[in-house]
Amino acid sequence: MKNNFKNLLYLIVFTASFSIYAGSYEDFFRAVRSDNASGIQALLNRGFDPNTVDEHGQAGLLIAMREPSPRVIQVLLDSPKTNVEVRNAKDESPLMLAALKGQQELVTRLIARDADVNKPGWTPLHYAATGGHVAIMKQLLEHYAFIDAQSPNGTTPLMMAAMYGTAEAVQLLLDEGADIAMKNQLGMTALDFAQRANRSDAARLLSNAGAAKAKRPSDGKW
């Protein structure tokens, strides 16, 4: 009889705890999507894990960036428990998404939280170059972003800048020493990317850079 009572008490406590957590789970993602910063802070103060994922496997920080929910992003980044290296289904990190969208203030905060500037595969510099966000590209390079990083298919930031970015983005990478001769898995160079996209401005910069390089003696002296 005594053991039955203990088991019943345990079941009641467990069920109540689960109900509270379940409610917090729903409240958390509702607050993330509605940019309810105070609601998120209250849940974190009660010990809710900010890295909890929703039914689609998405963490709160990524959802907040997608919505966007800027006030929630700030609360989550203020929490030392928040993992800034979470990934979405495409292996994109918060820093990559911020770089692509040109959100320099958010890039700064993520770098301050030790977000990986040189994550394997596609990198934040690839994404910043794609958007032509020169200030963010400079910021990433100042934090030792590998200028010739290769994606899984061999694409470099210079190739992305040449096809999708701006002339200023291409020029920055050239000035910083990006390798114009590198090829992706299809054998395409950055110049090929520019020509395929009918980017005459980028193609001209790359052609000029190639011609200047060809004029240099093999010992590196003029």
Side-chain angles (χ1 to χ4, degrees):
M1 185 73 177
K2 187 175 181 180
N3 287 337
N4 289 338
F5 177 75
K6 285 183 177 180
N7 290 338
L8 178 60
L9 182 61
Y10 174 80
L11 180 60
I12 292 173
V13 172
F14 175 81
T15 301
S17 299
F18 179 80
S19 298
I20 292 173
Y21 179 81
S24 297
Y25 177 90
E26 294 170 354
D27 291 344
F28 178 76
F29 290 106
R30 187 181 301 114
V32 167
R33 293 184 176 93
S34 62
D35 201 19
N36 182 355
S38 60
I40 294 296
Q41 188 62 66
L43 286 165
L44 297 183
N45 291 343
R46 284 159 46 191
F48 190 85
D49 182 359
N51 303 308
T52 301
V53 298
D54 68 3
E55 66 273 17
H56 303 295
Q58 290 288 298
L61 180 57
L62 288 171
I63 295 172
M65 293 183 67
R66 183 189 68 202
E67 286 301 319
S69 298
R71 291 176 295 181
V72 165
I73 291 172
Q74 297 305 316
V75 172
L76 290 174
L77 290 182
D78 284 339
S79 171
K81 294 182 179 180
T82 299
N83 176 17
V84 299
E85 283 303 312
V86 293
R87 302 281 194 273
N88 63 18
K90 297 180 181 179
D91 195 41
E92 295 169 321
S93 69
L95 182 56
M96 291 171 68
L97 297 176
L100 180 63
K101 295 177 180 179
Q103 298 170 319
Q104 188 168 12
E105 183 178 348
L106 184 51
V107 167
T108 299
R109 290 211 61 187
L110 287 164
I111 291 176
R113 285 289 313 273
D114 293 324
D116 193 354
V117 171
N118 287 308
K119 69 172 284 292
W122 292 99
T123 69
L125 185 58
H126 280 101
Y127 276 39
T130 298
H133 303 302
V134 174
I136 292 176
M137 292 169 66
K138 289 180 180 179
Q139 189 174 11
L140 293 169
L141 290 168
E142 288 169 359
H143 285 85
Y144 310 106
F146 182 34
I147 197 168
D148 292 321
Q150 291 182 285
S151 73
N153 64 10
T155 300
T156 66
L158 182 59
M159 295 173 191
M160 297 303 288
M163 192 166 197
Y164 302 108
T166 61
E168 291 76 15
V170 171
Q171 188 64 61
L172 171 65
L173 292 171
L174 291 174
D175 291 343
E176 294 296 326
D179 189 344
I180 62 174
M182 290 183 70
K183 298 180 180 181
N184 69 358
Q185 290 180 355
L186 296 177
M188 294 176 62
T189 65
L191 179 57
D192 294 327
F193 271 74
Q195 291 172 337
R196 174 168 290 190
N198 295 318
R199 290 284 310 283
S200 59
D201 53 350
R204 183 172 59 255
L205 291 172
L206 290 161
S207 294
N208 292 342
K213 183 178 180 181
K215 291 180 180 178
R216 298 186 186 120
S218 58
D219 63 358
K221 298 179 181 179
W222 290 90

